[in-house]
Amino acid sequence: MPIIKFLCSFNRQGSNTRIKWNSQMVGKFIVLLALILLTIMTRNYIQKMLEPSPRPASTVLGNEAPLCTGNLLDKREHHYAKKADGSYDNSRLITKTGSCHLTRYTQAEAVGCLDALYDHLTEKSSNKPNLNLLNNSRKRLHIAFVGDSRIRQQFHNFLKLIPDYDLIFDPNPIPLAFHGDVEVISNLLRLRITFYWQPLIDDTVVELTRIWATDDETDPPYLLVLSMAVWHMIIQFEGADQHQLYQKRLKELAPILDQLANVSHIIWLNQYPTLEFYGNIGVLNTDIHSEKIHHYNLAIRRILGGHKKVRIWDSSNPLAEEYVRGCSLSQRVTLTQIANSFVHCKDFSHVGYIALSQSTQLLFNDICNDGKLIR
């Protein structure tokens, strides 16, 4: 230890060694120590200055584009960006003015959005007591899903982003592939989410939407997601042309949806394409298939497209199309070689979980990013 030898003198008495300090040596030690610390600090500062500046978090995450806002559900206004390998980038959309990025909604962020919608509703209802935006007896934000098993998929996936603090299910538990109505309530979150099993556009659907639109004593949904078509493709109505009958019933429903849109935000889910073969048994789908669904979607766009208050959700179709292509490829590889999104390929009419989850993320981005449902 050269420094200690320089600053200290030794006085040995027996087996003990004592360091004798004097004021001059202590002063030199302090000065030397200060110089050493200053040198180290200066070197670290210079190294830090020479390092490249870190990129902003948005750039690191690939979110340098602005947040996606506007009508994200209409593919004529927004569509998914494509990657170099031809697959879709589920974090970016392309618009007429450029690209934008999507938020990945967690349970906390989803609840924050729904809380903001509820607060807005209560404030607006108090300012206009005659406007039944929020039923005063229930004091809950009502979100409804109406349709067949495809809408039931959307309902269940929407629930996955709602934390189970105090959820009350009716029925409980919800039976698998349940052909019935379901209600989920959270008093803590001031939330009511319902699913109405309505696979056909019939008198029941017409009457349900009419009551919501006209009866102030009911609890109309603040957000309504609905769709029904595939059952019209498989059920014979006394020899009637299925497609023509579907258009007729849709035209009857359209003006009522327009009226309901005065108190509810309405989204009609476009019908997803299907797998060409039924599961893994090699039987060609003849009753429900993509070409047939396309004709029904054209009718939906033609009839409901003129009703500006009803939005058609078709921008998620590429997710389903990619799922279908993946399932087709999976017939030629082993199960361990395919992604988890394709484990439901035996179900020809329902989209896989990953594609469905991405569509739910798109729905939350649409209703939450720019307060679209606050009006």
Side-chain angles (χ1 to χ4, degrees):
M1 301 288 292
I3 297 176
I4 298 298
K5 290 180 180 179
F6 174 71
L7 298 175
C8 304
S9 62
F10 295 89
N11 182 22
R12 300 180 181 274
Q13 296 181 358
S15 59
N16 296 327
T17 301
R18 188 180 305 161
I19 301 176
K20 297 176 66 176
W21 298 85
N22 58 56
S23 59
Q24 184 179 6
M25 293 301 180
V26 171
K28 292 180 178 180
F29 173 78
I30 293 174
V31 172
L32 183 59
L33 182 60
L35 289 173
I36 293 173
L37 292 175
L38 181 61
T39 301
I40 294 174
M41 293 172 63
T42 303
R43 182 189 61 188
N44 291 342
Y45 176 78
I46 293 174
Q47 287 179 344
K48 186 176 181 180
M49 292 296 293
L50 292 177
E51 289 176 356
S53 300
R55 292 182 296 169
S58 60
T59 303
V60 174
L61 297 176
N63 292 343
E64 63 273 20
L67 182 66
C68 293
T69 58
N71 186 0
L72 309 185
L73 304 182
D74 192 330
K75 66 180 181 182
R76 296 176 303 181
E77 299 184 26
H78 293 81
H79 60 273
Y80 282 97
K82 276 198 173 185
K83 299 180 182 178
D85 61 359
S87 62
Y88 291 98
D89 182 352
N90 60 16
S91 66
R92 286 195 308 124
L93 295 179
I94 303 299
T95 71
K96 296 177 181 178
T97 58
S99 65
C100 61
H101 78 270
L102 297 169
T103 294
R104 190 70 184 174
Y105 276 87
T106 63
Q107 286 188 341
E109 291 167 329
V111 168
C113 169
L114 297 177
D115 280 346
L117 296 180
Y118 174 88
D119 292 340
H120 169 73
L121 275 183
T122 53
E123 179 182 356
K124 192 168 184 178
S125 295
S126 62
N127 293 336
K128 297 181 179 180
N130 295 328
L131 187 61
N132 187 19
L133 290 175
L134 187 66
N135 188 290
N136 291 329
S137 64
R138 300 198 178 188
K139 297 290 185 182
R140 297 189 185 99
L141 179 70
H142 182 195
I143 297 174
F145 295 79
V146 177
D148 54 21
S149 57
R150 289 183 161 198
I151 284 291
R152 187 178 60 208
Q153 268 193 309
Q154 299 289 336
F155 163 75
H156 283 296
N157 221 58
F158 191 90
L159 283 179
K160 292 180 184 297
L161 283 177
I162 308 301
D164 188 4
Y165 298 137
D166 64 337
L167 295 183
I168 302 172
F169 296 85
D170 182 21
N172 187 18
I174 303 174
L176 184 66
F178 183 49
H179 288 189
D181 299 344
V182 180
E183 180 180 61
V184 181
I185 290 176
S186 171
N187 292 319
L188 184 62
L189 298 175
R190 305 163 300 180
L191 184 64
R192 178 176 180 237
I193 306 176
T194 56
F195 167 71
Y196 295 87
W197 171 255
Q198 297 293 339
L200 297 170
I201 304 178
D202 55 15
D203 293 340
T204 304
V205 173
V206 172
E207 185 61 20
L208 174 64
T209 51
R210 190 192 307 277
I211 290 176
W212 277 339
T214 59
D215 191 345
D216 289 340
E217 298 303 317
T218 62
D219 181 23
Y222 180 60
L223 171 64
L224 171 61
V225 182
L226 75 165
S227 181
M228 54 283 291
V230 292
W231 280 55
H232 284 270
M233 302 177 190
I234 58 178
I235 295 181
Q236 299 294 330
F237 298 93
E238 299 179 357
D241 181 275
Q242 294 165 308
H243 191 254
Q244 285 186 358
L245 182 59
Y246 180 77
Q247 294 181 82
K248 177 177 180 295
R249 299 312 304 262
L250 191 60
K251 288 178 181 178
E252 294 173 359
L253 181 62
I256 301 174
L257 292 179
D258 245 6
Q259 187 177 7
L260 178 59
N262 292 323
V263 294
S264 302
H265 293 269
I266 302 177
I267 297 171
W268 185 282
L269 179 67
N270 200 65
Q271 292 291 313
Y272 293 142
T274 64
L275 302 181
E276 292 306 312
F277 292 87
Y278 184 83
N280 60 351
I281 60 176
V283 177
L284 184 66
N285 297 325
T286 55
D287 292 327
I288 303 174
H289 52 83
S290 296
E291 183 179 356
K292 196 173 186 178
I293 286 175
H294 176 65
H295 288 297
Y296 278 75
N297 284 337
L298 290 177
I300 292 169
R301 175 66 74 178
R302 183 173 61 255
I303 295 171
L304 294 183
H307 298 262
K308 301 302 182 182
K309 296 179 181 179
V310 179
R311 293 196 294 147
I312 298 176
W313 181 5
D314 59 359
S315 60
S316 290
N317 262 31
L319 303 176
E321 292 166 2
E322 189 167 339
Y323 164 75
V324 169
R325 285 195 298 271
C327 287
S328 299
L329 292 173
S330 72
Q331 302 298 323
R332 295 188 286 272
V333 297
T334 63
L335 186 62
T336 57
Q337 291 176 293
I338 59 178
N340 290 334
S341 57
F342 306 141
V343 297
H344 299 300
C345 291
K346 294 182 180 180
D347 184 341
F348 76 97
S349 63
H350 299 98
V351 71
Y353 173 72
I354 290 182
L356 183 66
S357 297
Q358 292 172 2
S359 69
T360 302
Q361 286 290 326
L362 184 63
L363 176 61
F364 270 96
N365 273 267
D366 178 81
I367 66 179
C368 299
N369 283 4
D370 58 350
K372 180 183 285 80
L373 298 195
I374 295 179
R375 66 182 184 195

